[in-house]
Amino acid sequence: MSRVAVLKGGRSLERQVSLKSGARVQDALELNGHSVVGIDVGHDLVQRLLDATPDVAFVALHGRDGEDGTVQELLEAVGIRYTGSGVSACIRCADKVLAKHHMLDAGIPTPDFFAFNETAFKELGAGDALPAIERRLRFPIVVKPAGQGSALGIKFAAAPADLAGALVAAFSYGDKVLLERHVHGRDLAVSVIDGEALPVVEAVPRGEDFYDFEARYEIGRTTFICPAELPQQVAGHAQQLALDVWRVLGCRGFARVDLMLDAESGELTVLEADTVPGMTDTSLLPLAADAAGIPFDELIERVLELALR
Amino acid sequence: MTIDDRDGRPRGEPRRMATAAGARPTSRDLERYDGLFAARTKVMKSSAMRDLMALTERGDIISLAGGLPDTASFPPESFAAIMGAVAADSCARSLQYAPTEGLTTLKGCIAEVMAEEGTKIDPDDVLVTTGGQQVIDLVCKTLVDPGDVVIAEAPTYPGAVPTFCSYEADVVQISLDGDGMRIDELEDTLDALHRDGRRPKFIYTVPTFQNPAGTTMSLPRRKRLVEVVRERELLVLEDNPYGLLRYEGDPLPTLHSLDGGDFVIYLGTFSKILSPGVRLGWSVGPRPVLEKMNLGKQASDLCSSSLTQHFVAAYFAGGRWQDYVHSLKEIYRRRRDVMLDALADCFGADASWTHPQGGLFIWATLPDYIDTTDLLARALDEHVAFVPGRAAFLDGRGSSSMRLNFSGVGEADIREGVRRIGEVVREQIELYGTLTGSHPVVAPAEPAPAAPDPKLADVLQLPAPERRRRDARGG
């Protein structure tokens, strides 16, 4: 049995989700007989880690600090092993733009995109390139902050007039913004544990306008189906793509890869990878594990063992 | 497997414990209870917004998001003296249950508070409640079946929204302007509902220093509203937490006093004139309605705290309650003025905002391309918070507005908080200008309820369309 520090909460916009994930992880670890200390990540993080002297840290910290490699770097510095991906994979995944470039370089399909930081617009006249971008990506265009994990800040520009407002909103969350071709189709997610793909989950917005992005992220307005009702070949392809992403981005432990299945062409594309996936009772990775016959406690135990290996 | 409303598992399949065999289940394994939850618990607001609002409570944030009165201004020695008096005079009674309708002495105090605003009532017609919020809950409990229409203002008090939702009300929102709720729009809406065979159960309004807009319903509109509900035999829930916190202008009669209490359920509270910690509010309304609310309250909590009822009664016996309200008004008036000045300095031509004559809130509206929910995320980076306007609407409106509170933070923090918000607003406006190749000084998105529009006074005189037609036929 191990001494485990569960890192949760923090100062990101996903604090509440992280507190829920962390609490559930703590319960499972305690049930499994570990000695557990929960740490709400703040100014005293390093000191608390040094005081707690854990064998391993379970990173249940979503968003900024937890997913961008910051906390992982600190854990490396103080010599504490931790769950999930290492610093470099976190950096590659947390920046959606970087992740997409790695995918492109490796030949993994991802929706066409452009990305800019604020300086490009302010000092290099990137705004003048918008018409060209519009022609290439075609409306509707998805605009999202490059580094934001939750649904906040994701906007849907249906026409040129929407684009500036969508960019302003996305820049509220960070310095870099992604303009991405919108894929009309089905939202899929494949979770991976130790290089092994779990069954595909599909998120189905319930009875809402297809263009209503908010609906996808509101509780009760989305139904999750696992395993997704897909032809075996398509599900297998989605899982293979997720494993390719896992390998290319250098993930470790566990991760979740989000994909789109184009309704018309049937083409699968990868949107992003999440190195600290949600562990709440409505989160996709635990759902997929459950469908694969892995109960939550066992899932947590495996993730922990992978960190200690 | 489908994770749906009720049960995450296919019909008929036995529910498997998520934990290992023999392990003790944990209380946080929510899915185990999911099938037991009532349908009304599924009606939830956006989690993203809730998560964002939770961050505004961080200690290092200047929060203009709250609605807190400044309880630090209450003298500790007064508190000690009052508690001493309660201990000496009514120790056993203050530790005992109270009648559901409240202590007689407290009901006398309530009559005194209402008289201060010119509303005369019989103390026997008072139901003491656990905060004003319980009145909203009890009124819904008494009147609303799932799917019933409740009419509210647009924007409305964000704290009423979960209550309406938990009773599965169909909330219809009526626009506000500088003179409060648009009664012409209300009448049109009532007509439209009538044509659909639907009668709303009640109209919820905060007529004086509205939360969140800060506006006050004009006298002609008050009179017309009372007429409308009388003609159509509907109830109004008049939520009046701030009426005594007037910093300028002449007091207006309450809807209750204009109506005489036949169709108006009045909601009052000690939260803003003494303390929200005592959790005491009240309702005055038509007796049959109040009796049902009394039954509802018995089922909810039997009675409100005897201890705090004795505390408030003893406080009123001291005869100084008006002095304290006066001191609060002085503090809040200054803070309001500081905020108005800061807004003029820092928001400039890019925004409009209300000029409340009292209460706790200012409602500011930015150009329509700025989304205040996203802006809040940016503002939190600068350690300042407000309530995004969307929280006050059920239909996605309000995305360019924000509610700012001036009662809960000191003058220096108000100045600094508004300065920081103004900075991020300016940043976004500049960015938008860069993106669109213009430097827009755009008119604010929706007509913010700002200065009263004199033309609107005429609107009030217009008869309702249905009646107009009837009159035409009659003539």
Side-chain angles (χ1 to χ4, degrees), chain A residues 60-115:
Chain A
L61 189 66
H62 308 313
R64 183 166 62 186
D65 301 339
E67 291 189 47
D68 61 8
T70 307
V71 155
Q72 288 78 3
E73 189 92 28
L74 286 173
L75 288 161
E76 298 274 354
V78 295
I80 297 172
R81 286 179 286 187
Y82 54 91
T83 57
S85 292
V87 176
S88 64
C90 286
I91 290 172
R92 284 190 286 270
C93 293
D95 183 338
K96 289 172 191 168
V97 178
L98 190 56
K100 283 171 75 86
H101 279 295
H102 278 286
M103 290 183 221
L104 281 183
D105 291 349
I108 299 168
T110 183
D112 203 2
F113 69 100
F114 289 94

Side-chain angles (χ1 to χ4, degrees), chain A residues 113-197:
Chain A
F113 69 100
F114 289 94
F116 300 99
N117 57 22
E118 225 173 303
T119 319
F121 286 103
K122 284 186 172 160
E123 290 169 26
L124 300 176
D128 295 336
L130 286 177
I133 291 171
E134 291 163 10
R135 278 195 299 278
R136 163 104 167 252
L137 299 180
R138 293 194 306 277
F139 286 103
I141 295 171
V142 182
V143 180
K144 47 189 171 186
Q148 171 61 23
S150 82
L152 284 166
I154 298 183
K155 299 275 164 174
F156 199 85
D162 301 339
L163 211 49
L167 286 165
V168 169
F171 277 123
S172 302
Y173 299 85
D175 186 45
K176 195 160 36 165
V177 161
L178 180 62
L179 298 105
E180 193 178 55
R181 181 176 70 82
H182 176 258
V183 179
H184 175 189
R186 296 162 72 178
D187 285 286
L188 306 178
V190 178
S191 298
V192 180
I193 304 177
D194 192 23
E196 191 187 314

Side-chain angles (χ1 to χ4, degrees), chain B residues 27-38:
Chain B
S27 60
R28 290 194 188 91
D29 275 348
L30 192 75
E31 66 264 47
R32 191 170 292 119
Y33 311 108
D34 202 46
L36 303 174
F37 290 143

Side-chain angles (χ1 to χ4, degrees), chain A residues 11-13 15-17 23-24 27 31 64 118 121-122 130 152-153 155 164-165 167-169 171-173 206 214 217-219 223-227 281 287 290 295-297, chain B residues 1-5 9 16 18-20 23-24 26 28-31 44 46-48 50-52 54-55 58 369 371 373-375 377-378 380-381 428 431-432 434-436:
Chain A
R11 62 197 176 106
S12 87
L13 298 173
R15 173 179 171 78
Q16 297 303 309
V17 181
R24 195 147 177 263
D27 278 354
L31 278 173
R64 183 166 62 186
E118 225 173 303
F121 286 103
K122 284 186 172 160
L130 286 177
L152 284 166
K155 299 275 164 174
L167 286 165
V168 169
F171 277 123
S172 302
Y173 299 85
R206 199 180 299 163
E214 296 260 325
Y217 303 99
E218 255 177 55
I219 290 174
T223 303
F224 299 109
I225 300 167
C226 185
D281 34 56
L287 183 63
D290 198 72
F296 190 71
D297 297 10
Chain B
M1 186 174 77
T2 301
I3 296 297
D4 207 327
D5 274 344
R9 293 167 206 280
R16 186 170 50 79
T19 47
R24 192 173 51 82
T26 71
R28 290 194 188 91
D29 275 348
L30 192 75
E31 66 264 47
M44 296 170 94
S46 154
S47 61
R50 221 169 339 131
D51 292 352
L52 208 51
L55 290 175
R58 254 166 37 195
Y369 54 81
D371 184 316
T373 307
D374 301 313
L375 187 76
R378 178 74 191 86
L380 285 168
D381 279 342
Q428 300 214 323
L431 180 59
Y432 186 85
T434 310
L435 290 168
T436 55

